[in-house]
Every structure is written in structure tokens, then in C-alpha cells.
């Protein structure tokens, strides 16, 4: 009788183990985002201008350089931060100053943001300043975009492909 | 810290009572958590190899190949997929229980730190294996994991461009990063296996296989779970669609929702800081180590029994250095020695019967010599007030001191297996007691790993040095109980007393030995 009770308890404990494994493997469900909202991803990587403008070297200056270091233009490595702004329907949604990457601050400045937005049509305005200017913008873009619930829209920026695009 | 350990210990003790009764001490899952971890790892590895035969590593075809595995070949690959997943989950369960239990039993401190600190990176590897595995299915959950993980990694200042760009939308989706995940899901477990090997390096005869009944029981549980509730995908990933609600594997993904609340950088700080804190636990607070065992070459004949019995691989046999006729001598590695005394119990020269010369064993604990143990035995015998006189040899962790209230004389040592069997013979043949009780930790769960096994084998005559046949086995009781089992220990003692009372009186000899 005692042996049967022990075996029965073992079955119960094994069942409890399987239940614990199975339950937390699926439940409770995780609500990552509201299905009633649209989502926007902003991603751009862009090198801002150098802190000081590049200097064109004279032939004599070029000749003075070591043969493997010769170049026609001399640029400081450090770059400016990239200023990025995004408005939705005229209201500020993002204001970001992205620092250049790299140990010498000579790399790309990157912006990656994700936020929710109510579905429907919205006016999206984006701006970038990548030079040393203190006012005004180097790239400006505006578009009326329709956002659908439960779907992503992606805002990217590639100057070589015409600047901003919203997909 | 001590209070926390006591609370956790208490909870485990409660659970152990139930598990020990049902499974038996040796087969209890709680006494085999480390071995179960190994077992689940091998299940995951074996099922993973089978699944890989049918898995397409291209990002566009991965989902379809997993669907084939799950539905078209449900009877084999589908079941394998479910077992693969559930065994991975079970691995997380036993891993954390193992950590908690070893912590509560204080089996991480002093010279035992090595297994603990090599275990900490293992936690990271378990998660790396699990998370990359979910990634490979390339369903909605994988999509979420891909985005959340890359966004989290982008909070580190290492990447020139955000790696989350790889999963920006369906037009930017590339296979390179996915291929990296496939690579990691294969090679991370291999490195994890190396770490698991390292984890047990200072454990002689490390238990890497659970007892067969337990292995069978857990395997059947996972198989039944896989058949009743098979693991399925959550629809193909679509980077243009928000994966709003997900069935979540909380064993592996519990940290992800935290990213909704705190920035990724803070989560890194918590996890890395937590790991560093965990690694430092063996030294919080600092613990003074007992002096390591010392070899007395004059009495060491190089029999190697101490090296054979050391649970921590702290003794090696080296060429003789004293010019005697013996080939080898025992050498103790002090940085590995736990001062458990199991080597002393194994030494054939550790006999209390010697009269002509001083009692010095071939290997001894400097602060608890055999000579002192003999004196303590004789002194304890002189203190008996009532009959039957029972001498209890116990270890530091077994909490058998309570038996002193029941008339027993209790002699405490680091481990019961430190007692050479000759001492039992000595105690009974010299009429120093009517009965001897060896009270140790639970079976298969000795604080010093192998003390219960060696003691039982020595008493049974299966392991040198064995207990002489002339010793009346009715006058010897072995009591193996987990910590905090004072009531059960008293009950066993009372039963032993009762059984001794029924025996004919022993032949009285000299009590002065």
C-alpha cells in the first residue's frame, strides 16, 4: 500500500513538473504592443561634416608627406553631431542629437527609434542638420502618410537615394 | 546572507521531505539537480542534431522547414522539436534550483569556489543557446526576439550602425545575421559543454547522469507533454506587421518585458552586475578555510586509497621522495583540499588499536588527528549515564547534536566518512559503547559529495578499508537524513535504542581501552 502511495505521488510530481515546464513555456501571453496602434521605426546612419572644413594641400605639402600618407585633402577626423527632428502633425515627436561613432568620433551618427502612433493619416516632417550651421536645416522632408493599425512604417534617410523615405 | 540561506534551506527541506518519501533519497530530483542539468543538455543536443537534418538555414525557408518538421513529420521530428524545447525549459528550471540549493547548503565557499564561478558564465550560455534557438524558427516570436535583442544590443557602444537595421522591414531583411544566429546556436552549446566540463573539474566522480528511474521518469514526462501539447510556431515573421501578442517562453524570455520599463543600458547593468555579484558570493562574507590534510610519509605506504576516495581530486600519487621501498606517496593539493577527512577514513594506518607507537595515520587533518579522535571516543564513553550506551559519530552538517538530549554521546567530525571503520570495531570490541550510530547527510547528497557512499561501502565490506566481519552489525546504525531533519533523526535513534535493548548484553571488557 505504501509502495503504491509512493508511486502515485511520483506520478503526481512528474505531472506537476511537466505542467510547470509546459505552462511557463507558453503562458501567460505577452502583450508587446497594442494591436490598435500603428508603429513607426526611424533608422538612419549618416556621417555629419567634419568639425573643421577640409584643407586642400599644395603640391609641395603633398610631397612633404610620407609616400604612403600622401593625399590631396587634409581633414580633421572628428565629425559634428547629427541633429535630427521629427514632427507628427506639427507636434515634436523626436529631437535627437546623435554623436558620431568611433573612438575618434569620426564615424557615422546613428538614430534608431521606435514609437507607436494612432492609425490614420498624419503629416510627418523630418529634418537633419549635419553641418556646423546654427540655424536652419540641411535636409527637410514632409509627407502625409497613412498609418494602419498593427503595421510598421519605416522612416529612413539615404542622401545618395534622394534623402528621406517613408516605407 | 546567512538568514537568506536558512530560509531557502528551510523551503528545500520541506520539499525534500516529500520528494525523499516518494522517490527515495538517492533518486530524489532535488539531490540530482546537477546531473539532471547534464541529462537535459544531452536530450537537447540529441534532438537538436535530428532537427538540423530537416532545418533549412536560409531565412526565407527556415519557417517552412520548421512547419514541415512540426506538421508533416509530426510523429518524429515534430515530437523531437517539442522535446527539444521542453528539455531546454527543464534545463533552466534545474539550473536555477541547482544554484539556489547549492547556495542554501553553503556548497560554494572556501576552496569550493571553482565550481560556483565557472557555473556563472554557464547561465549566460544557456540563455544564448535558448534565445538563438527561438530566433531560428523565424515566426512572430522570432521576429520579436530579433528586434528586441538587436535593439538591446544597440544600447552597447560597440556598433557603428544599429544592428537592428537588419530587421527594419521586409525590404531590408538579409540572411547574413540570421546565418550568424544559426552558427551561434550550434557553436554556443559546444562551448557550453566545455564550460560544463570545466565546472566539474574539481569534483572526482562527478555525477553527470541521474539515477535511471529518475532519467526515465523525466524523459516520459517530457515526451507526454510533447504529445499532449506540441510546440508549434506562431505564424511566419513579417517585419511589416507588429507582433502584438505572443505566447511567451518565460523561462528564456523573462528579461525581455523588462526592456519595456527600463532602458537597455540599465538591463545590461543589472545582468552584468548581477553576474559579478553572483561570482563573488563564495567570498561573502569571507570564510576561513580549515587546514588541508597532511601526509605523514613515515606512515604512508602509497596504497592510493586516499587519492581514490578524495571527492575533490585533491590528492595525487607521486613518485616516492623519501627513498623508501614504496613506489608512490600521496601528495595533497592544498588549494583543492576541502578538509573533509574522507582521505583519513580511507587510510589503512588510521587504526585506534595501535598501542606500541603513537597513533599517526598516513594522512591526517592537522586540527583533528586520529589520536585526538581516539581520546574523544574514550572520553565520551566515560560520560555515559544510562544504558544502552550509544556513541554517535556525526558530521558538521547533519545536526545530530540533538541526540545528546536522548542520552547519546555525540562526536562531531567534518564528515562521517572521516571515521575509519576500525574505530567502530574499537568502540564495540573495547566495550566503549553498546551501539554506534553514524549520522550523516542525506543519501547521495553528502555535503562532501561521497561520504555516505564510501561509508556504506566500507561497512558493507565492498570498499577498503572495510569494517571487520566480527563487528556485530546489529549494534551499528547508519542514519542518512537531510539537514533540518532533527525529528526524524530522533525517531531513528529511538528505534535503534529499542533494537539494542532487545539484543543480548555485550561481553563486558575494559572500559579504559
Amino acid at each position: 500500500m505504501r509502495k503504491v502511495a509512493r508511486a502515485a505521488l511520483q506520478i503526481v510530481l512528474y505531472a506537476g513538473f511537466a505542467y510547470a515546464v509546459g505552462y511557463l513555456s507558453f503562458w501567460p501571453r505577452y502583450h508587446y504592443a497594442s494591436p490598435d496602434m500603428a508603429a513607426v521605426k526611424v533608422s538612419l546612419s549618416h556621417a555629419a561634416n567634419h568639425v573643421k572644413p577640409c584643407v586642400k594641400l599644395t603640391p609641395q605639402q603633398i610631397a612633404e608627406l610620407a609616400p604612403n600618407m600622401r593625399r590631396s585633402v587634409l581633414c580633421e577626423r572628428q565629425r559634428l553631431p547629427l541633429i535630427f527632428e521629427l514632427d507628427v502633425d506639427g507636434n515634436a515627436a523626436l529631437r535627437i542629437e546623435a554623436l558620431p561613432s568611433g573612438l575618434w568620433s569620426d564615424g557615422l551618427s546613428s538614430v534608431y527609434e521606435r514609437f507607436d502612433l494612432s492609425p490614420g493619416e498624419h503629416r510627418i516632417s523630418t529634418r537633419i542638420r549635419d553641418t556646423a550651421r546654427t540655424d536652419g536645416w540641411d535636409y527637410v522632408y514632409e509627407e502625409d502618410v497613412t498609418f494602419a493599425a498593427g503595421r510598421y512604417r519605416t522612416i529612413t534617410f539615404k542622401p545618395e537615394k534622394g534623402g528621406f523615405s517613408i516605407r | 546572507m546567512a538568514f537568506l540561506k536558512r530560509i531557502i534551506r528551510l523551503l528545500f527541506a520541506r520539499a525534500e521531505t516529500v520528494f525523499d518519501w516518494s522517490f527515495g533519497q538517492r533518486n530524489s530530483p532535488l539531490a540530482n539537480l546537477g546531473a539532471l542539468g547534464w541529462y537535459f543538455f544531452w536530450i537537447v543536443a540529441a534532438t537538436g542534431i535530428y532537427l538540423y537534418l530537416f532545418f533549412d538555414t536560409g531565412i526565407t525557408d527556415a519557417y517552412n522547414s520548421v512547419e514541415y518538421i512540426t506538421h508533416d513529420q509530426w510523429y518524429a521530428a515534430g515530437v523531437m522539436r517539442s522535446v527539444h524545447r521542453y528539455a531546454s525549459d527543464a534545463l533552466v528550471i534545474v539550473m536555477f534550483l541547482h544554484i539556489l540549493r547549492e547556495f542554501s547548503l553553503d556548497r560554494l565557499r572556501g576552496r569550493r569556489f571553482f565550481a560556483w564561478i565557472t557555473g556563472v558564465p554557464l547561465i549566460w550560455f544557456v540563455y544564448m543557446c535558448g534565445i538563438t534557438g527561438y530566433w531560428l524558427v523565424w515566426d512572430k516570436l522570432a521576429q520579436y526576439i530579433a528586434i528586441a535583442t538587436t535593439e538591446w544590443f544597440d544600447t552597447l557602444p560597440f556598433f557603428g550602425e544599429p544592428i537592428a537595421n537588419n530587421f527594419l522591414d521586409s525590404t531590408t531583411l538579409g540572411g547574413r545575421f540570421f546565418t550568424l544566429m544559426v552558427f551561434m546556436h550550434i557553436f554556443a552549446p559546444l562551448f557550453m559543454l566545455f564550460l560544463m566540463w570545466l565546472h566539474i573539474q574539481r569534483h572526482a566522480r562527478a555525477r553527470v547522469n541521474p539515477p535511471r528511474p529518475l532519467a526515465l521518469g523525466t524523459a516520459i514526462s517530457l515526451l507526454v507533454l510533447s504529445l499532449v501539447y506540441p510546440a508549434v510556431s506562431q505564424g511566419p515573421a513579417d517585419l511589416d506587421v507588429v507582433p502584438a501578442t505572443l505566447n511567451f517562453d518565460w523561462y528564456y524570455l523573462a528579461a525581455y518585458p523588462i526592456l519595456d520599463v527600463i532602458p537597455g543600458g540599465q538591463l545590461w547593468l543589472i545582468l552584468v552586475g548581477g553576474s559579478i555579484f553572483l561570482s563573488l558570493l563564495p567570498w561573502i562574507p569571507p570564510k576561513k578555510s580549515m587546514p588541508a590534510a597532511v601526509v605523514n610519509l613515515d606512515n604512508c605506504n602509497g596504497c592510493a586509497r586516499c587519492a581514490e576516495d578524495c571527492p575533490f581530486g585533491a590528492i595525487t600519487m607521486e613518485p616516492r621522495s623519501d627513498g623508501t621501498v614504496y613506489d608512490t606517496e600521496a601528495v595533497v593539493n592544498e588549494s583543492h583540499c576541502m578538509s573533509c577527512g574522507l582521505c583519513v577514513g580511507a587510510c589503512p594506518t588510521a587504526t585506534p588499536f595501535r598501542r606500541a607507537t603513537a597513533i599517526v595515520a598516513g594522512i591526517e587533518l592537522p586540527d583533528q588527528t586520529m589520536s585526538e579522535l581516539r581520546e574523544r571516543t574514550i572520553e565520551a564513553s566515560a560520560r555515559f549515564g544510562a544504558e544502552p550506551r550509544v556513541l554517535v559519530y556525526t558530521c558538521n552538517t547533519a545536526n545530530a547534536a540533538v541526540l545528546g538530549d536522548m542520552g547519546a554521546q555525540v562526536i562531531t567530525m567534518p564528515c562521517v566518512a572521516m571515521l575509519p571503520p576500525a574505530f567502530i570495531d574499537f568502540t564495540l570490541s573495547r566495550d566503549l559503547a553498546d551501539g554506534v550510530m553514524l549520522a550523516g547527510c542525506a543519501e547521495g547528497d553528502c555535503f562532501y559529495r561521497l561520504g555516505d557512499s564510501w561509508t556504506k561501502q566500507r561497512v558493507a565490506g565492498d570498499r577498503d578499508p572495510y569494517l571487520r566481519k566480527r563487528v556485530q552489525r546489529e549494534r551499528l546504525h547508519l542514519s542518512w537524513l537531510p539537514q533540518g531533519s532533527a525529528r526524524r533523526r530522533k525517531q531513528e535513534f529511538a528505534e535503534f535504542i529499542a533494537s539494542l535493548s532487545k539484543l543480548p548484553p555485550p561481553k563486558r571488557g575494559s572500559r579504559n581501552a
Side-chain angles (χ1 to χ4, degrees):
Chain A
M1 192 61 195
R2 205 175 164 85
K3 211 171 172 180
V4 174
R6 283 180 173 167
L9 182 58
Q10 270 192 40
I11 292 169
V12 170
L13 291 171
Y14 277 126
F17 164 71
Y19 182 79
V21 170
Y23 185 82
L24 281 180
S25 190
F26 290 100
W27 294 282
R29 299 190 86 192
Y30 170 53
H31 300 285
Y32 167 60
S34 166
D36 304 327
M37 296 291 281
V40 181
K41 284 186 196 172
V42 180
S43 176
L44 56 97
S45 289
H46 175 60
N49 279 8
H50 291 283
V51 172
K52 286 182 186 170
C54 297
V55 179
K56 198 163 188 273
L57 299 177
T58 63
Q60 189 189 347
Q61 286 171 316
I62 295 171
E64 283 169 5
L65 294 171
N68 62 325
M69 300 291 283
R70 282 177 189 159
R71 70 197 86 167
S72 57
V73 197
L74 187 65
C75 298
E76 278 228 13
R77 293 184 70 170
Q78 195 181 354
R79 290 181 182 275
L80 292 162
L82 185 84
I83 314 292
F84 170 77
E85 292 188 357
L86 185 147
D87 294 347
V88 177
D89 299 327
N91 302 314
L94 291 174
R95 293 279 181 275
I96 293 169
E97 182 178 315
L99 298 175
S101 59
L103 286 175
W104 305 102
S105 301
D106 57 348
L108 300 170
S109 296
S110 294
V111 173
Y112 180 93
E113 291 292 330
R114 182 167 45 81
F115 60 91
D116 291 344
L117 201 59
S118 58
E121 190 173 278
H122 295 282
R123 182 146 195 86
I124 303 295
S125 313
T126 55
R127 298 174 285 279
I128 276 183
R129 186 183 302 143
D130 63 356
T131 56
R133 67 198 295 172
T134 51
D135 63 340
W137 299 92
D138 298 298
Y139 298 91
V140 177
Y141 182 76
E142 277 197 338
E143 185 181 340
D144 290 322
V145 185
T146 304
F147 292 86
R151 294 192 74 85
Y152 285 113
R153 283 281 195 170
T154 312
I155 301 173
T156 58
F157 175 75
K158 290 202 186 301
E160 69 277 11
K161 290 186 179 172
F164 283 103
S165 73
I166 302 177
R167 296 194 291 264
Chain B
M1 199 66 81
F3 178 71
L4 182 64
K5 280 181 187 171
R6 219 169 21 246
I7 296 287
I8 302 172
R9 180 70 225 127
L10 193 71
L11 293 173
F12 270 111
R14 291 273 160 84
E16 277 159 13
T17 310
V18 177
F19 279 97
D20 288 356
W21 185 79
S22 177
F23 288 81
Q25 284 182 359
R26 193 160 280 279
N27 292 335
S28 166
L30 293 178
N32 290 282
L33 292 168
L36 280 172
W38 276 85
Y39 179 59
F40 291 137
F41 174 85
W42 290 121
I43 291 180
V44 173
T47 50
I49 289 167
Y50 185 81
L51 291 173
Y52 191 69
L53 298 175
F54 304 98
F55 180 68
D56 196 315
T57 55
I59 191 163
T60 47
D61 300 317
Y63 180 81
N64 290 335
S65 68
V66 176
E67 285 299 279
Y68 168 80
I69 284 168
T70 310
H71 300 294
D72 296 24
Q73 210 200 109
W74 67 268
Y75 48 88
V79 173
M80 291 278 195
R81 180 191 178 189
S82 301
V83 173
H84 188 70
R85 173 180 181 143
Y86 293 135
S88 312
D89 290 333
L91 175 59
V92 173
I93 296 176
V94 296
M95 177 178 74
F96 280 113
L97 286 176
H98 185 50
I99 293 168
L100 276 175
R101 192 159 184 272
E102 297 304 294
F103 169 75
S104 72
L105 290 169
D106 214 27
R107 294 200 286 216
L108 70 157
R109 283 151 60 67
R111 295 167 186 143
R112 220 164 178 168
F113 74 95
F114 184 78
W116 182 266
I117 60 164
T118 51
V120 176
L122 266 174
I123 305 171
W124 284 82
F125 270 90
V126 167
Y127 277 90
M128 199 189 298
C129 297
I131 290 167
T132 52
Y134 276 112
W135 202 307
L136 300 191
V137 179
W138 204 236
D139 62 351
K140 285 188 167 59
L141 180 64
Q143 177 191 343
Y144 163 76
I145 291 170
I147 294 169
T149 308
T150 49
E151 286 178 357
W152 184 45
F153 270 74
D154 280 332
T155 59
L156 296 170
F158 303 144
F159 305 104
E161 285 188 58
I163 53 172
N165 281 350
N166 286 286
F167 304 99
L168 207 55
D169 58 31
S170 52
T171 62
T172 60
L173 180 63
R176 268 189 309 170
F177 205 83
F178 191 78
T179 308
L180 176 68
M181 287 304 116
V182 177
F183 180 83
M184 281 180 65
H185 193 60
I186 294 168
F187 285 94
L190 288 177
F191 196 76
M192 185 174 141
L193 184 61
F194 165 73
L195 273 177
M196 287 162 69
W197 170 81
L198 197 64
H199 182 60
I200 56 168
Q201 272 315 289
R202 289 199 180 179
H203 286 178
R205 294 182 174 77
R207 212 183 318 154
V208 292
N209 295 313
R212 210 166 283 177
L214 185 59
L216 194 66
T218 46
I220 291 171
S221 305
L222 294 179
L223 190 63
V224 170
L225 176 63
S226 300
L227 291 168
V228 172
Y229 203 83
V232 291
S233 305
Q234 300 187 39
D238 182 346
L239 288 173
D240 297 330
V241 176
V242 181
T245 304
L246 299 159
N247 284 324
F248 222 52
D249 185 340
W250 293 92
Y251 292 110
Y252 280 96
L253 307 174
Y256 281 82
I258 300 172
L259 288 167
D260 296 344
V261 187
I262 62 169
Q266 282 183 25
L267 185 61
W268 278 115
L269 272 178
I270 291 169
L271 295 180
V272 174
S275 299
I276 293 169
F277 177 72
L278 207 58
S279 303
L280 294 175
L281 276 183
W283 296 277
I284 303 176
K287 184 186 181 186
K288 193 183 167 203
S289 292
M290 303 299 283
V294 173
V295 177
N296 303 304
L297 271 189
D298 291 345
N299 293 293
C300 173
N301 62 10
C303 70
R305 283 173 191 146
C306 53
E308 185 71 19
D309 281 9
C310 177
F312 301 99
I315 302 173
T316 49
M317 301 309 294
E318 306 288 345
R320 202 76 189 186
S321 64
D322 59 355
T324 51
V325 294
Y326 305 113
D327 292 334
T328 56
E329 65 187 42
V331 175
V332 178
N333 182 341
E334 285 188 27
S335 65
H336 291 201
C337 177
M338 288 295 299
S339 315
C340 60
L342 264 71
C343 51
V344 183
C347 185
T349 63
T351 166
F353 285 105
R354 229 185 299 173
R355 280 173 186 271
T357 55
I359 297 172
V360 180
I363 190 164
E364 295 251 33
L365 291 184
D367 58 345
Q368 295 198 50
T369 62
M370 285 296 98
S371 173
E372 286 165 7
L373 186 61
R374 186 180 191 269
E375 289 309 311
R376 284 166 69 195
T377 300
I378 293 166
E379 284 167 19
S381 171
R383 285 195 296 268
F384 279 120
E387 294 195 347
R389 302 161 303 145
V390 177
L391 194 55
V392 178
Y393 291 100
T394 186
C395 63
N396 285 334
T397 45
N399 301 334
V402 289
L403 302 183
D405 303 338
M406 298 175 75
Q409 289 299 322
V410 181
I411 294 178
T412 306
M413 298 171 291
C415 178
V416 168
M418 180 185 164
L419 187 78
F423 265 81
I424 302 168
D425 187 12
F426 176 74
T427 305
L428 293 174
S429 66
R430 297 292 167 91
D431 193 29
L432 297 172
D434 300 322
V436 171
M437 181 175 180
L438 304 186
C441 309
E443 258 188 292
D445 200 24
C446 166
F447 184 81
Y448 292 111
R449 301 191 53 246
L450 302 170
D452 62 313
S453 299
W454 290 172
T455 302
K456 275 185 287 183
Q457 289 178 28
R458 288 169 190 167
V459 167
D462 297 333
R463 188 176 197 85
D464 265 341
Y466 51 80
L467 182 63
R468 291 176 71 175
K469 284 184 180 161
R470 71 175 186 180
V471 175
Q472 259 190 292
R473 295 311 197 261
E474 299 84 2
R475 298 194 174 275
L476 173 65
H477 180 74
L478 307 184
S479 167
W480 310 112
L481 289 171
Q483 282 184 40
S485 308
R487 197 172 55 83
R488 287 163 69 192
R489 190 81 76 183
K490 282 182 170 177
Q491 193 182 332
E492 276 196 25
F493 182 77
E495 286 166 9
F496 181 47
I497 291 274
S499 72
L500 282 176
S501 306
K502 289 177 194 160
L503 294 176
K507 289 173 189 168
R508 297 289 189 207
S510 164
R511 289 195 181 190
N512 297 323

